[in-house]
Amino acid sequence: MSSEKLFSVFKEKAGVMSAQVHRVGTWAQAGDLIADQVKELKAQRVHLFSTPQLEKTNCRATLAKTGVTISDKLDRHELDITDVGITYVPYAVAETGSIFHPETDPLGRAVTMLSPTHIAVVPFNKILPTVADALETVVKDFGAVPGYMSFISGPSRTADIERVLTIGVHGPSKLIVILVDEGV
Amino acid sequence: MSNEQHNQDFKASIQKALNDQVMRGALSRFADAYPTARKNAYEGVDIEALRSEIACAKGKNGENLDQLIQLFTENATKRGAKVYFAKTAEDANRYIANLAIEKKVKKIVKSKSMASEEIHLNDHLKKAGLIVNETDLGEWIIQLAGQKPSHMVMPAIHLSKEQVAGYFSKELKSDIPPDIPLMVQKARVELRTKFLEADMGISGANFAVAETGTIATVTNEGNARLTTTLPRVHVALVGIEKVINDFKEAANIIKALPKSATGQLITSYVTMVTGVTPTEVDGQVQDKELHIVLMDNGRSDMLKDPKFKQAWQCIRCASCLNVCPAYQMVGGHVYGHIYAGGIGAILTFFFNDPTDAEKPQNLCLGCGRCTEVCPGKIPIPDLILEMRRRMAQKKGIGLIPKAIFDLVANRKLMHSLLRVASIGQFPLTGGKPFIRHLPFFFSELTKERSLPAVAPKPFRDIAKEREKKNTGKKKRVNFYAGCLIDFVYPHIGTAVYDVLEHAGCEVYFPWEQACCGAPAKYMGDTDSQTRLAKQNVAAMEEGNPDYIVSACPTCTVAMMEDVVEVLKEDPAWHERAKKVAAKVRDFSALAEELGVKAPGKKKSLKGKFTYHDSCHYRRHLHLSDVPRKLLTEVAGMELVEMKDSDQCCGMAGSYLVKFPEISAPILQKKLDNIAATGSELVCVDCPGCVMQIAGGLDKRHSSVKIRHTAEILAEALRKG
């Protein structure tokens, strides 16, 4: 499947799972988009999990301009009150509209779980066709099975009361995926 | 508890469930939405191939269980996990409680785990002085309500938002309105504190991968991720049936489980934990402890059983409940222990106590809708029958059923009684062809439906008159009538003769044929079934026919498969049974095979009809396309499909005698779906369904007519 085709399947399926999908050309543009999204959400506190890829977006600087409080501290109580968690996520899966997040660092994991919004930056050329492909690829890329891996598909949801779908139970109520064309 | 008391309690729990309008409404809304949601979720997926792969892989996992467990243990241990094998529920409870005490744990958060419900883990931890909070919203509600789950995937499906608001108000000591989004937010805030403070997180697992030592949870709320991330100790309680081979098998389960469970493309989170990972404790990074409790608790006994090992193929999606007509009426709590539905009765039989499964297994209609959707291709109704057979062997089938089957197996006595009944029933029918009111304890049966009267002249007498014309020079067909056509609906027999004679056959009625044995089979009475099988095989050999035809799918299955199965221990009879079985056809299949055609060029019948798929006919004989083709192409009628045409009408053999209170609402749903088509005619291929649906239509004073496909074809050929 061509990368454009993978993207269109991913976008459709991620839409089914109620994730927001954006596509930008460069890492810098991803940084700008993160700042725009944070502004739009009227967020006051954001939490970053710093990786070399995320730093390429220069989002720290663009976010600073918005006046938002930025933290990258491993502190569950601070994480609990943050409005937006921002991470780099190395893969996406077309067939399910998921992002695939192998991450053992406790901060890297917590940032995707505790705030009401999670923004994930994902390389465009890492949209894999299927869950099976993702599991195969991650073992090849990491040389072993990462200790903690999650397929994340849209926001946290429940239908436990009267089968009424409600978004945002224990995890984020919003998942924003930004795909970046520029290579890692 | 006495058996009678046990029975009364069970009946009372059914009545309570049937009166619970909140639950009935919720289950019915979900059941209505589920088939479409499932279909959409599986769009573009080859479901049959996927089901085969899962069933086959899980079956192999069972065969290699010891090696798989060893491999899993080695790999998980290599990654720093501690693996404990718990033979029993007590072992698992003791291990986890001791561990908590040893690790100075005070507060525990749990994500959803049916295995923990199975062993009442919360009670044990509470007794050890620990504070345990369920964090899955449904499970938390159940915990606050002091109840148990009523569905494997949707534990609180039986509760209304008002009831939930009541439990929340009490727990949070404030007045919580029954506003679902608001209640979800309240739960988030309340449980978030519990997550942040917990020392131990307990999760279940949807699967465990031997090759990598990985455990996985498939969830929507995110509570399992928090449970496995924040506390310093993680305990995963894993039933040994969850151990699979590799990531390839894992990908298939991830593909099937959410789609089959709730009709979702995938759940919000699929989380895979391999060994020890770091966590944060008081701002410092340290490795968390991972304890994996592999629990047997009756599972290996199930696996060792030559029949029940098929239940190993279950991936706990509960799609069998989602399509079960009985579950839709009564919900999960009447199934006694923790696991609900047909599969629940089977699991309870092995994991808990066989006596706990005794009553609930009876709720199975045997319609087979579950097997059709099961990702593990488990023949649940067959396993239920096997369970029933074993129970009957052990305890007997009860004196009254035994007396009835002894009577049924005595062909002559049975038939003379039926003849007497046809005269004796006049006061009840008032001369009409339906029994609307029955005296005394039978009254429950006629509340929602009228029962048909016994025909004044049985079909065997009609057949005798028609046979005079036979020349013995054409293809010979032996007609197996079955009790309903012989004694209640002889006109269906006449129609079968008309159509087959039109197709150039001579049809004979072997006089010594008796009941097909299905009622005895469904009660677990193998002795009566065997006697009847011999009698029918001998009867059907008469005149060495080219075909043996039946117009009742239950009888067809009995003559085509059951006689062979039940006589397999007796080589001579087994051979005879196989020869007879090979010639057996259901009426419509034979009509198609013989190429029945309308004689004129013009289509002879006009008008619309809707079609009801009888359970055995569709799922055992796989014939649902054939009558649709015959009725439209040969008879020339127009088909208007009804909603859930494949859903059981509630007749299900003796079900309407065992559970008239469940059978009746199932019938009402069927009648509503028929009415919604606007068609004045409903066609079926089973005289049992004719009896059930005709009775319901009569009670409603409906103008809709019900006909067997044979009747319509005969009419079309006559007019053509």
Side-chain angles (χ1 to χ4, degrees):
Chain A
M1 223 186 286
S2 75
S3 55
E4 287 300 329
K5 176 71 189 158
L6 284 171
F7 171 66
S8 83
V9 176
F10 171 77
K11 198 174 169 186
E12 186 212 324
K13 302 294 182 186
V16 170
M17 297 307 297
S18 310
Q20 278 184 32
V21 179
H22 303 268
R23 181 180 174 184
V24 296
T26 65
W27 292 95
Q29 283 168 337
D32 293 339
L33 186 58
I34 290 171
D36 289 348
Q37 294 289 327
V38 166
K39 240 191 283 176
E40 208 173 291
L41 290 163
K42 298 193 174 64
Q44 290 176 354
R45 311 171 70 94
V46 301
H47 223 104
L48 301 178
F49 176 60
S50 180
T51 60
Q53 297 89 345
L54 190 68
E55 295 303 335
K56 280 172 78 172
T57 66
N58 203 25
C59 67
R60 232 177 252 277
T62 50
L63 281 167
K65 282 185 220 154
T66 68
V68 74
T69 308
I70 305 167
S71 170
D72 54 10
K73 199 171 153 205
L74 177 62
D75 177 332
R76 59 177 70 193
H77 298 286
E78 204 178 276
L79 277 156
D80 181 38
I81 55 164
T82 197
D83 301 309
V84 183
I86 304 166
T87 60
Y88 167 76
V89 170
Y91 310 98
V93 178
E95 71 165 347
T96 52
S98 317
I99 55 173
F100 179 43
H101 190 219
E103 184 60 74
T104 42
D105 189 287
L107 179 63
R109 284 151 62 185
V111 165
T112 69
M113 294 178 192
L114 288 166
S115 57
T117 300
H118 172 207
I119 300 179
V121 186
V122 185
F124 182 84
N125 63 1
K126 289 292 173 69
I127 307 176
L128 305 166
T130 66
V131 166
D133 293 324
L135 290 172
E136 203 183 309
T137 306
V138 78
V139 176
K140 260 188 224 153
D141 289 357
F142 283 68
V145 180
Y148 202 94
M149 318 189 274
S150 297
F151 291 91
I152 302 172
S153 316
S156 148
R157 71 191 71 211
T158 185
D160 273 353
I161 306 176
E162 293 194 354
R163 299 299 303 144
V164 175
L165 178 67
T166 314
I167 296 295
V169 203
H170 298 296
S173 52
K174 207 171 252 168
L175 173 67
I176 301 171
V177 181
I178 302 173
L179 291 156
V180 186
D181 280 351
E182 193 183 357
V184 183
Chain B
M1 197 190 290
S2 76
N3 198 37
E4 190 42 42
Q5 183 60 44
H6 199 162
N7 224 354
Q8 278 177 14
D9 288 353
F10 184 56
K11 280 282 185 179
S13 74
I14 289 173
Q15 207 49 56
K16 190 174 157 219
L18 287 168
N19 291 337
D20 186 341
Q21 292 307 322
V22 170
M23 181 179 73
R24 288 275 298 276
L27 291 174
S28 150
R29 278 192 303 279
F30 179 64
D32 283 348
Y34 174 75
T36 314
R38 178 180 180 272
K39 193 167 155 253
N40 291 343
Y42 272 111
E43 199 201 321
V45 178
D46 183 345
I47 306 185
E48 286 316 307
L50 181 63
R51 291 174 71 218
S52 297
E53 278 180 43
I54 290 174
C56 175
K58 289 283 290 176
K60 277 199 188 124
N61 294 157
E63 283 166 25
N64 302 325
L65 182 67
D66 292 344
Q67 294 99 298
L68 274 190
I69 288 179
Q70 201 190 339
L71 189 62
F72 176 84
T73 307
E74 272 169 31
N75 286 322
T77 309
K78 251 186 238 163
R79 299 286 295 252
K82 290 201 176 67
V83 181
Y84 173 72
F85 187 88
K87 183 71 196 155
T88 63
E90 294 74 51
D91 288 348
N93 281 327
R94 195 184 324 112
Y95 180 83
I96 298 170
N98 287 348
L99 179 72
I101 292 162
E102 185 194 318
K103 300 294 167 192
K104 299 190 169 48
V105 166
K106 287 188 181 69
K107 295 176 181 177
I108 299 174
V109 282
K110 268 186 72 202
S111 60
K112 194 168 167 302
S113 155
M114 286 302 286
S116 75
E117 292 281 358
E118 176 190 325
I119 63 172
H120 306 297
L121 177 61
N122 287 358
D123 294 345
H124 286 265
L125 296 175
K126 244 168 85 181
K127 270 185 214 145
L130 297 151
I131 300 166
V132 190
N133 270 288
E134 292 289 347
T135 60
D136 171 84
L137 182 60
E139 286 285 339
W140 191 51
I141 293 167
I142 294 299
Q143 188 184 26
L144 296 181
Q147 297 184 359
K148 55 186 186 180
S150 70
H151 187 284
M152 283 186 252
V153 176
M154 300 169 288
I157 191 169
H158 59 285
L159 294 173
S160 70
K161 58 180 188 289
E162 285 77 16
Q163 289 168 315
V164 175
Y167 298 127
F168 276 28
S169 300
K170 207 174 144 203
E171 172 69 16
L172 306 177
K173 296 182 184 65
S174 71
D175 198 16
I176 309 285
D179 172 324
I180 295 174
L182 182 119
M183 287 194 283
V184 169
Q185 274 317 299
K186 290 277 177 197
R188 177 186 170 105
V189 172
E190 180 68 16
L191 291 169
R192 180 57 70 88
T193 316
K194 318 265 187 218
F195 279 120
L196 296 175
E197 292 173 354
D199 313 293
M200 177 185 271
I202 300 177
S203 75
N206 292 95
F207 56 85
V209 185
E211 224 176 68
T212 56
T214 304
I215 48 164
T217 55
V218 178
T219 66
N220 273 313
E221 296 183 1
N223 60 317
R225 299 180 79 215
L226 294 174
T227 301
T228 57
T229 295
L230 294 172
R232 62 186 157 86
V233 184
H234 172 200
V235 178
L237 177 62
V238 186
I240 49 174
E241 81 285 9
K242 299 286 176 66
V243 184
I244 59 172
N245 200 42
D246 54 22
F247 276 175
K248 226 180 129 214
E249 292 176 12
N252 275 344
I253 291 178
I254 296 170
K255 198 181 244 180
L257 184 55
K259 295 180 180 75
S260 284
T262 50
Q264 284 179 269
L265 178 60
I266 188 167
T267 49
S268 296
Y269 307 107
V270 175
T271 301
M272 304 171 91
V273 179
T274 309
V276 164
T277 49
T279 188
E280 172 255 338
V281 181
D282 302 326
Q284 299 301 310
V285 177
Q286 69 173 56
D287 274 351
K288 77 175 0 225
E289 281 192 40
L290 172 61
H291 295 259
I292 301 170
V293 179
L294 291 179
M295 182 172 76
D296 186 332
N297 199 34
R299 285 162 173 78
S300 55
D301 293 338
M302 185 175 86
L303 186 62
K304 276 180 216 140
D305 189 290
K307 287 259 161 67
F308 287 96
K309 67 177 184 190
Q310 291 175 94
W312 200 262
Q313 287 150 224
C314 178
I315 60 167
R316 304 285 189 276
C317 70
S319 57
C320 51
L321 304 189
N322 301 346
V323 299
C324 173
Y327 177 85
Q328 277 163 31
M329 293 297 154
V330 296
H333 286 155
V334 304
Y335 289 88
H337 191 53
I338 293 297
Y339 297 103
I343 190 73
I346 296 165
L347 299 180
T348 297
F349 189 79
F350 285 95
F351 299 177
N352 195 53
D353 188 333
T355 53
D356 283 349
E358 198 180 315
K359 300 288 167 207
Q361 58 82 17
N362 272 312
L363 289 166
C364 174
L365 292 142
C367 74
R369 228 180 166 210
C370 48
T371 301
E372 217 173 31
V373 297
C374 174
K377 288 186 153 183
I378 304 169
I380 297 170
D382 293 352
L383 295 182
I384 295 273
L385 271 187
E386 177 61 20
M387 195 191 292
R388 211 172 280 170
R389 205 181 59 75
R390 291 186 193 181
M391 285 171 181
Q393 265 177 356
K394 214 168 149 192
K395 298 182 65 172
I397 58 165
L399 286 177
I400 295 169
K402 182 76 190 127
I404 292 173
F405 289 131
D406 283 347
L407 168 68
V408 169
N410 183 338
R411 207 257 324 145
K412 276 188 190 152
L413 182 58
M414 169 81 177
H415 290 168
S416 23
L417 277 176
L418 282 168
R419 281 174 196 274
V420 173
S422 83
I423 303 162
Q425 73 198 351
F426 268 94
L428 291 171
T429 61
K432 287 184 179 169
F434 273 111
I435 298 176
R436 286 210 172 78
H437 305 285
L438 281 173
F440 312 122
F441 56 92
F442 278 135
S443 64
E444 184 77 6
L445 297 183
T446 55
K447 216 160 75 182
E448 311 272 350
R449 72 179 76 63
S450 308
L451 288 179
V454 176
K457 191 175 186 181
F459 184 71
R460 52 183 60 228
D461 291 356
I462 299 169
K464 213 180 214 173
E465 287 160 19
R466 292 187 68 138
E467 261 168 43
K468 288 175 192 149
K469 290 184 274 176
N470 286 351
T471 61
K473 286 178 184 159
K474 297 179 179 173
K475 268 189 187 145
R476 179 182 171 118
V477 180
N478 278 353
F479 181 48
Y480 179 82
C483 306
L484 272 178
I485 292 180
D486 200 356
F487 289 95
V488 181
Y489 298 121
H491 55 279
I492 298 178
T494 304
V496 169
Y497 270 53
D498 288 350
V499 175
L500 295 180
E501 281 171 6
H502 177 90
C505 302
E506 282 178 355
V507 194
Y508 293 82
F509 188 97
W511 195 260
E512 289 303 322
Q513 58 180 283
C515 168
C516 70
K521 171 183 165 185
Y522 290 112
M523 289 285 288
D525 182 357
T526 314
D527 291 346
S528 301
Q529 201 198 344
T530 311
R531 262 189 290 163
L532 288 165
K534 286 182 184 169
Q535 183 159 354
N536 285 324
V537 165
M540 286 299 135
E541 286 168 340
E542 186 186 300
N544 190 25
D546 297 289
Y547 298 104
I548 295 160
V549 73
S550 146
C552 167
T554 306
C555 298
T556 307
V557 172
M559 296 300 295
M560 203 183 252
E561 297 175 7
D562 297 350
V563 291
V564 180
E565 174 66 23
V566 84
L567 295 173
K568 67 169 186 272
E569 307 294 337
D570 188 332
W573 275 107
H574 192 222
E575 278 313 303
R576 288 171 70 179
K578 278 200 288 194
K579 272 192 195 138
V580 162
K583 294 179 181 177
V584 174
R585 305 281 187 280
D586 196 77
F587 164 76
S588 58
L590 184 58
E592 200 197 28
E593 197 173 322
L594 296 171
V596 170
K597 272 195 201 85
K601 280 187 182 158
K602 235 173 38 192
K603 298 269 166 79
S604 50
L605 296 182
K606 288 195 176 72
K608 293 176 181 170
F609 75 102
T610 189
Y611 189 79
H612 163 70
D613 291 287
S614 306
C615 299
H616 274 126
Y617 191 74
R618 176 190 167 93
R619 284 180 273 268
H620 224 121
L621 300 171
H622 305 289
L623 286 173
S624 39
D625 292 341
V626 175
R628 284 176 167 83
K629 211 173 130 201
L630 290 171
L631 290 165
T632 51
E633 290 177 15
V634 179
M637 304 201 46
E638 186 192 333
L639 172 63
V640 190
E641 291 284 0
M642 72 172 96
K643 188 175 159 224
D644 294 334
S645 68
D646 70 323
Q647 181 137 316
C648 180
C649 64
M651 168 73 196
S654 57
Y655 201 81
L656 93 167
V657 182
K658 275 194 292 188
F659 295 112
E661 66 275 46
I662 303 174
S663 169
I666 293 175
L667 170 63
Q668 294 309 318
K669 224 164 137 183
K670 179 58 64 182
L671 296 176
D672 291 344
N673 290 340
I674 291 170
T677 65
S679 159
E680 283 293 303
L681 173 68
V682 52
C683 293
V684 298
D685 275 79
C686 167
C689 300
V690 170
M691 174 170 149
Q692 171 84 337
I693 295 172
L697 291 169
D698 179 68
K699 208 72 189 200
R700 278 193 181 189
H701 305 292
S702 167
S703 58
V704 175
K705 301 268 176 291
I706 182 153
R707 295 285 179 265
H708 192 285
T709 297
E711 293 178 81
I712 300 294
L713 274 188
E715 190 189 338
L717 298 177
R718 219 171 23 244
K719 287 194 177 162

